[in-house]
Amino acid sequence: KVPLYVSLEERMGCGVGACLVCSVKIKTADGWKYERVCRDGPVFNAEEVCWDE
Amino acid sequence: MNKLEVEFAGVKFKNPVTVASGTFGFGEEYGEFYPLSELGGICVKGLTRHERQGNPPPRIAETPAGIINSVGLQNPGVEGFIARYLPELKKADTNIIANISGNTVEEYAEMAEMLSEAGVDMIEVNISCPNVKAGGLAFGTVPESAAEVTGAVKRASKVPVMVKLSPNVRDIAEIARAVEAAGADAISLINTILAMRIDTATRRPILKNNTGGLSGPAVLPVAVRMVWQAAAAVKIPIMGMGGVSCGDDAVQMLLAGASLVSVGTACFADPFAPVKVRDGIAEYMEKYGVSRVGELTGAIILN
């Protein structure tokens, strides 16, 4: 199995992490939370991304 | 910069420029560009009683002269804010204006009590967010519920209470009068204008939430008009916002009746927008020989 990282794109506003429009669902220990593509990404571990959305 | 000082609802502002709720987070990100002390105040991201995840993306759509957003009040909740963000904000030499949205009148009051106890400088009551199902806009569209929320928050808060009005109403002056009568110390307007953009290739709205709130340069003339109408209706001071990108826009707001202005969407294209707006106001005052920014409030000359 090869680790897969993905660079995501979501419509953005401020581009610095303040406005929260570019949120993507990321899995957490007890469910999920939104993270910012512009600041917390744009690269994410593919296993952590909620792909169904 | 004494000439830019404003006393607003009993709170001293070193200059009349604040940043608008939802556009500036809690100051962490933009604080990397310039010290928050450059600003008269920061209206923090809208808080709810408990943490909210917000609406699914896409949460933003571009329009010819602005944006539509449907963030849906994603925020850490009042307790999360007080624990994780307020301590750092207090270190910045700027006014902290806590924006609150409740599902019930009781929730608004509870949040106001918690936040004023925790030491914010002012409470901004959001009765105008168009992106959440309950609360928000629902309270702000009729004078009776707007007054009820205002009264409850005023009784619970130790600090001045500013009510943020929605443009999505029949008569902004009516709402302004109702919240003034209920004890509001100030009002802020406008919040975003209900809007939609459709992707004609897919025939679906761009926003996952279908509709959202329009902001940016397109709304400036609507905001200026509403500030002017509200100023004619009430004696309490006004924070004017909606499409302000430069000093001249801010001066329009002041002339229409505002004492403070707030800059929001403009920050997205230029993080330094609020600082440039402040400096633009100062330049105007220099050019026209205005010695105190308060002289501009309501100084419009009607035809």
Side-chain angles (χ1 to χ4, degrees), chain A residues 14 16 20 23 34 36 39, chain B residues 29-30 32 53 56-57 59:
Chain A
C14 68
V16 296
L20 306 180
S23 295
Y34 280 122
R36 302 160 293 187
R39 193 173 184 99
Chain B
E29 297 80 16
Y30 287 106
E32 290 178 2
Q53 297 295 350
R59 296 173 167 181

Side-chain angles (χ1 to χ4, degrees), chain B residues 134-148:
Chain B
L137 181 56
F139 284 106
T141 52
V142 286
E144 293 77 19
S145 46
E148 195 187 354

Side-chain angles (χ1 to χ4, degrees), chain B residues 10-61:
Chain B
V11 179
K12 282 188 168 49
F13 284 75
K14 70 170 82 96
N15 70 60
V17 180
T18 63
V19 286
S21 179
T23 66
F24 218 78
F26 302 107
E28 286 192 336
E29 297 80 16
Y30 287 106
E32 290 178 2
F33 289 85
Y34 48 85
L36 299 181
S37 56
E38 296 289 312
L39 306 169
I42 147 168
C43 301
V44 303
K45 172 72 199 219
L47 301 169
T48 50
R49 180 63 185 86
H50 302 288
E51 184 182 7
R52 272 182 67 96
Q53 297 295 350
N55 292 330
R59 296 173 167 181
I60 190 169

